[in-house]
Amino acid sequence: MLDQILLFVIALAANLLSALSGGGAGLIQLPALIFLGLPFGVALATHKVASVALGLGAALRHLKENTLERRFAGFILITGLPGVTIGASFILQVPERGAEVALGLLTIGLGLYSVFRPSLGQVYEPSHRTGHGYLVGGAGLFVIGVLNGSLTSGTGLFATLWLVRWFGLDYKRAVAYTLVLVGIFWNGTGAVVLGILGDIRWTWLPALLAGSLIGGYLGASLGIRHGNRWIKRAFEAVTLLVGLSLILR
């Protein structure tokens, strides 16, 4: 019972923070699962399954706001899911340390980029909605999908900033797309692939799923209530923390 309570608290904190900033649940949840005794592959697969509940919790809140465009949502799924499948298929066979350090440095770069661009993501200004724009944007989402399927810590943050920077979304809309589509469908696909190729600690999932669902809903509610500037600051703080965590872990 104490283990289940601890897992619930970890999941609640990690996913509340992630739902507010648009990613980063792996900053707390994945290292915690490893610290509690799971091998990396088992911890990653278990975390992926639990992260689907984050997307469901956030979706319950964001769908009330009706901010998602169906065609654009379909585009994100079509371009990202193949990358997720590829990343999840190979991660269990490659050394993770070098990739984690590189990902950490890149994540810190994302945070600093947002810090030094005060107006970034504050206004909804759709851009690059042409053939060439969708081609480049889709390629970016594919690469982010590969990262999402392999190294889970903080890759949702990449999707959030890419949607803001390339497609001109404000932070509130970008976070909604990330939580619903990346949280449910990208992470769900990664969980299935990792579950087939590896193992999942099923006895830990009830507490993790409950914490992720509630944390996702509460974090999404905070983001909607406080708006783009608050979400931007949360995004910047989480990217810097995730980057440092990946480098120092």
Side-chain angles (χ1 to χ4, degrees):
M1 181 60 69
L2 290 176
D3 289 342
Q4 293 295 316
I5 293 173
L6 178 60
L7 290 170
F8 173 81
V9 171
I10 290 170
L12 180 66
N15 290 281
L16 189 153
L17 187 65
S18 178
L20 175 60
S21 61
L27 168 68
I28 300 173
Q29 190 163 277
L30 182 60
L33 296 180
I34 295 173
F35 178 77
L36 291 173
L38 293 186
F40 173 77
V42 179
L44 180 59
T46 305
H47 166 68
K48 280 290 185 185
V49 175
S51 295
V52 176
L54 161 64
L56 291 173
L60 291 174
R61 186 65 184 87
H62 277 293
L63 290 177
K64 294 181 181 179
E65 302 297 311
N66 197 29
T67 56
L68 302 182
E69 304 171 32
R70 291 185 179 180
R71 289 186 178 180
F72 190 59
F75 169 76
I76 294 174
L77 291 180
I78 291 172
T79 54
L81 287 178
V84 174
T85 304
I86 293 172
S89 299
F90 286 100
I91 185 57
L92 299 180
Q93 283 78 43
V94 300
E96 61 179 290
R97 187 61 194 139
E100 281 188 338
V101 172
L103 186 62
L105 292 172
L106 185 56
T107 304
I108 290 175
L110 295 182
L112 293 176
Y113 177 81
S114 181
V115 167
F116 291 109
R117 297 289 297 272
S119 62
L120 184 69
Q122 299 306 292
V123 180
Y124 179 51
E125 298 177 334
S127 60
H128 297 116
R129 302 299 178 94
T130 62
H132 177 265
Y134 278 117
L135 183 63
V136 175
L141 289 169
F142 174 82
V143 172
I144 295 170
V146 173
L147 294 175
N148 178 268
S150 53
L151 297 170
T152 186
S153 295
T155 51
L157 300 167
F158 284 62
T160 297
L161 188 61
W162 184 243
L163 293 175
V164 170
R165 180 63 186 86
W166 186 254
F167 289 110
L169 274 62
D170 58 12
Y171 269 104
K172 184 185 293 187
R173 284 181 172 83
V175 166
Y177 280 108
T178 297
L179 293 176
V180 175
L181 301 177
V182 175
I184 297 175
F185 297 99
W186 287 24
N187 286 343
T189 301
V192 170
V193 175
L194 288 168
I196 293 173
L197 299 178
D199 296 309
I200 295 172
R201 184 60 61 90
W202 296 104
T203 56
W204 289 20
L205 277 176
L208 291 173
L209 289 171
S212 298
L213 185 67
I214 297 172
Y217 186 90
L218 293 177
S221 298
L222 285 173
I224 290 170
R225 183 180 309 157
H226 292 284
N228 286 313
R229 187 159 297 280
W230 223 64
I231 297 173
K232 185 175 187 291
R233 293 291 176 255
F235 173 88
E236 291 160 359
V238 171
T239 51
L240 296 176
L241 289 172
V242 168
L244 289 173
S245 173
L246 288 168
I247 293 171
L248 299 176
R249 185 162 64 195

